Amino acid sequence: MSESAIRSILEQHGRLSTPVSELDAASDLYNAGLTSLATVGLMLALEDEFDIEFPDAMLGRQTFSSIEAIQEAVEELQG
Amino acid sequence: MHHLSEALREQAHRIGREVLAVHADDVDQHSRFPKESMDALREASLLSAYVPEAFGGMGLNLPQIAEICEILGHYCGSTAMIFAMHQIQVACIAHHHRQQPFFTGYLRRLVEEQRLIASATTEIGVGGDLRSSICAVEQDGDGFRITKKAPVISYGEDADDLILTARRDPDAPKSDQVHVLLLEGQYQLEQIATWDALGFRGTRSDGYVVTGEAPAEQILPVPFADILSQTMHPYAHITWSSLWSGIAADAVDKARRFVKKEAKRNLDMPPISAIRLGEVDSVLQTMRSNIQQAMQEYQGLLDRDDFNAFTQFGFGIRINNLKIASSELIVDVVGKAMLICGIQGYLNHSEYSLARHIRDAYGAALMVNNDRIMLHNSTLLLMHKDR
């Protein structure tokens, strides 16, 4: 699972005000304009792309706080 | 749950009976700030009721503040709403000061001077979205300047201080917000809209352009997104729901007295509306139970101090559901009570008048519009499974 796949989903569904190309893997996505509503679009796309399902416990701010946090979450769910 | 002490409960009722109830109609009729009522609450040091004892406050917890909101709601909806809105701002500071000397000092000052805090969250141009700001904090030497066009600032003119949201700096995205406290003398209000509304007329929620400047230490040291999810959002919906339940309870009490009077008049045949008393009381109980449940969950998260738990979709959804349900149930309860009281309830001036109650009741769904909340929940529910 590549960081670039996550970046491209983020580009399409994140509705960020900072271009994804300007973000590091550790940059705070909420500071870049991510909203809780936009995280839903992001999750739907991630579930689709990686064939995973986010459990309720992961539906919080932390899971989507950065590109690397998303990567960790996806990898954890892929097992 | 933690209840108010008997003495404090009796004091709140006494202020309600002797001050709020006395001025409620005049406040409503003239759409004026309930000065006498707020002075009485100041006199009782209730403006600092939520300030922790360590800073000299009463150290009440949220369930106790919510109980005061409900009690005040029985007597004057506008005063109860102002009290609740003020406590929300106090809670934002009390929960998020991070021991910064300016804010801990402010809490002490709040206790001594019983300062009233107004809030400017919404802004012209963001369409009611609290999580977006157009205005920004502009750094200026050791301080900052700010200009915000606020469509409503409740009791803005009558507050001592003002807390508002803004973007962190002029280059920040609209959702990267900070929460800023401006003190009396540091800001000016230019009125751009007048509050002449159906209900909650005493909140005097006029619109203003705010311009101000202050030292940088007056920016709360936590992003507004966190303050909103951990404090403002749950605290507001719980205290609002509580005061709405107070308005609803007063309507039920009027209906009860009406049925009792009619029953005494003819012991053999109680009034036809008597059966509705049981019905409306059960709706009121549902309203109160919803609040208790949300309060218990929120207080539990506060006690655990679990940062991430506040941002869980499920918690946000349930708090939103509390607001939606309470704002619908208050209309239901007051409407049913009016059916019981009949024309006596419909009249503007009668012992059983519910005119102010019903006008206040309809405002509940609009302050943070229910449709916006419902849309938000509907989106989050695509992911949240609740199992």
Side-chain angles (χ1 to χ4, degrees):
Chain A
M1 200 268 311
S2 66
E3 189 185 312
S4 69
I6 291 177
R7 281 179 178 274
S8 118
I9 288 174
L10 204 51
E11 190 84 59
Q12 278 179 61
H13 302 282
R15 290 184 245 158
L16 303 184
S17 37
T18 311
V20 176
S21 55
E22 289 176 20
L23 297 172
D24 298 331
S27 301
D28 188 316
L29 295 180
Y30 293 98
N31 287 349
L34 185 66
T35 64
S36 60
L37 281 185
T39 60
V40 172
L42 203 56
M43 282 181 217
L44 293 172
L46 288 166
E47 288 194 347
D48 216 36
E49 172 77 20
F50 300 110
D51 194 23
I52 51 174
E53 194 179 345
F54 287 99
D56 279 354
M58 283 173 113
L59 302 184
R61 208 173 155 78
Q62 227 163 37
T63 310
F64 299 88
S65 58
S66 66
I67 292 171
E68 61 187 14
I70 295 174
Q71 190 162 1
E72 269 172 41
V74 171
E75 279 168 4
E76 189 186 324
L77 291 172
Q78 283 179 323
Chain B
M1 296 299 283
H2 329 262
H3 292 290
L4 273 187
S5 69
E6 196 51 51
L8 207 46
R9 181 180 302 138
E10 186 37 51
Q11 187 183 25
H13 273 294
R14 189 180 53 73
I15 293 172
R17 269 192 319 270
E18 295 176 3
V19 189
L20 273 66
V22 173
H23 299 282
D25 281 339
D26 188 65
V27 162
D28 179 56
Q29 198 178 341
H30 296 102
S31 192
R32 69 166 178 89
F33 180 73
K35 185 179 184 308
E36 303 84 351
S37 305
M38 293 310 296
D39 283 349
L41 296 172
R42 280 195 164 108
E43 187 84 7
S45 293
L46 284 169
L47 295 200
S48 55
Y50 195 69
V51 173
E53 285 172 300
F55 302 115
M58 230 177 256
L60 299 193
N61 58 24
L62 172 62
Q64 292 166 323
I65 294 292
E67 196 176 337
I68 297 176
C69 290
E70 160 153 8
I71 292 172
L72 300 180
H74 283 254
Y75 302 98
C76 173
S78 288
T79 303
M81 184 52 83
I82 294 170
F83 180 78
M85 291 198 265
H86 166 78
Q87 299 301 337
I88 297 161
Q89 313 320 318
V90 174
C92 289
I93 298 171
H95 290 179
H96 304 288
H97 58 71
R98 295 264 174 95
Q99 300 300 335
Q100 300 264 318
F102 169 77
F103 286 103
T104 55
Y106 180 77
L107 288 173
R108 289 199 172 87
R109 209 177 146 196
L110 178 58
V111 176
E112 270 170 40
E113 302 173 18
Q114 292 295 303
R115 302 183 74 79
L116 178 65
I117 313 171
S119 163
T121 44
T122 53
E123 185 171 9
I124 292 173
V126 299
D129 179 12
L130 293 189
R131 283 290 287 110
S132 291
S133 286
I134 296 168
C135 69
V137 165
E138 292 168 54
Q139 209 186 329
D140 182 17
D142 290 339
F144 62 86
R145 290 172 186 281
I146 193 165
T147 302
K148 180 166 188 165
K149 285 185 186 152
V152 287
I153 302 180
S154 294
Y155 55 94
E157 201 104 302
D158 297 281
D160 298 304
D161 304 315
L162 177 66
I163 195 164
L164 47 83
T165 49
R167 285 183 298 137
R168 182 177 303 282
D169 58 62
D171 298 322
K174 60 187 192 324
S175 63
D176 186 8
Q177 296 162 293
V178 289
H179 213 188
V180 174
L181 178 64
L182 297 176
L183 303 178
E184 188 174 21
Q186 292 178 331
Y187 65 94
Q188 292 82 41
L189 298 176
E190 181 205 333
Q191 192 175 337
I192 50 171
T194 302
W195 180 253
D196 179 7
L198 186 64
F200 289 115
R201 291 170 56 79
T203 62
R204 280 296 307 278
S205 305
D206 296 330
Y208 300 95
V209 176
V210 184
T211 48
E213 50 182 301
E217 61 181 4
Q218 292 178 217
I219 302 172
L220 272 163
V222 176
F224 177 66
D226 297 343
I227 296 175
L228 183 67
S229 67
Q230 292 172 40
T231 302
M232 189 181 272
H233 179 239
Y235 203 100
H237 289 338
I238 289 168
T239 51
W240 291 353
S241 295
S242 299
L243 78 93
W244 296 336
S245 76
I247 296 172
D250 190 54
V252 172
D253 192 49
K254 286 194 178 190
R256 186 189 59 77
R257 285 191 279 116
F258 183 82
V259 172
K260 188 174 176 184
K261 181 193 67 168
E262 293 293 308
K264 277 182 179 168
R265 193 177 292 175
N266 187 346
L267 287 173
D268 298 327
M269 205 172 90
I272 192 162
S273 54
I275 191 170
R276 288 194 178 274
L277 186 59
E279 184 191 25
V280 73
D281 187 63
S282 89
V283 182
L284 178 62
Q285 184 175 327
T286 301
M287 198 175 172
R288 284 175 163 155
S289 305
N290 277 342
I291 299 168
Q292 289 302 323
Q293 192 182 17
M295 205 145 59
Q296 207 157 8
E297 179 175 8
Y298 179 49
Q299 190 66 49
L301 293 187
L302 284 177
D303 294 344
R304 258 169 45 212
D305 204 14
D306 177 354
F307 167 77
N308 199 41
F310 293 100
T311 70
Q312 289 289 309
F313 280 19
F315 176 63
I317 289 169
R318 286 188 290 277
I319 291 295
N320 281 338
N321 281 339
L322 168 70
K323 194 272 175 180
I324 292 168
S326 303
S327 60
E328 289 176 350
L329 290 175
I330 183 179
V331 173
D332 191 23
V333 169
V334 179
K336 284 186 162 81
M338 194 177 278
L339 271 180
I340 294 171
C341 298
I343 291 294
Q344 292 302 312
Y346 194 66
L347 291 175
N348 275 324
H349 303 287
S350 95
E351 193 188 342
Y352 303 99
S353 173
L354 290 167
R356 177 161 47 82
H357 298 65
I358 198 88
R359 288 187 287 103
D360 285 351
Y362 276 106
L366 309 178
M367 42 186 303
V368 189
N369 194 298
N370 276 9
D371 282 355
R372 169 181 293 280
I373 296 176
M374 210 95 81
L375 176 67
H376 194 90
N377 268 10
S378 303
T379 308
L380 298 184
L381 278 164
L382 295 182
M383 299 308 300
H384 177 66
K385 292 172 272 303
D386 196 12
R387 62 175 182 229

